């Protein structure tokens, strides 16, 4: 049976477009998370800290995965 190999040699691409997309997704996730948390009754600090963390992780994932 033939082994599966990736076309790009298995390297993760990190282009400028992916970086910009990651930043945009990160900001969007953070804003939506904070808005939802505030709507559910969380205080300002309890809404912002998890929102920033979620936005950072989502943005990094989009950037590194080159989505």
């Amino acid at each position: 049976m033939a082994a599966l190999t990736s076309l790009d040699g298995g390297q993760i691409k990190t282009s400028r477009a992916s970086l910009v997309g990651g930043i945009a997704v990160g900001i969007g996730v953070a804003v939506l998370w904070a808005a939802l948390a505030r709507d559910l009754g969380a205080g300002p600090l309890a809404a912002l800290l998890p929102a920033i963390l979620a936005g950072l992780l989502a943005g990094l994932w989009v950037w590194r995965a080159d989505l």
Side-chain angles (χ1 to χ4, degrees):
M1 178 178 259
L4 295 175
T5 59
S6 62
L7 295 176
D8 63 354
Q11 298 297 319
I12 296 176
K13 298 176 289 183
T14 53
S15 65
R16 181 177 297 265
S18 183
L19 176 62
V20 172
I23 292 170
V25 167
I27 291 171
V29 166
V31 167
L32 290 175
W33 187 294
L36 182 60
R38 293 287 293 162
D39 195 39
L40 292 174
L45 191 60
L48 287 180
L49 290 178
I52 291 170
L53 181 63
L56 178 68
L57 292 175
L60 284 173
W61 180 70
V62 167
W63 172 55
R64 294 301 292 169
D66 199 29
L67 299 176

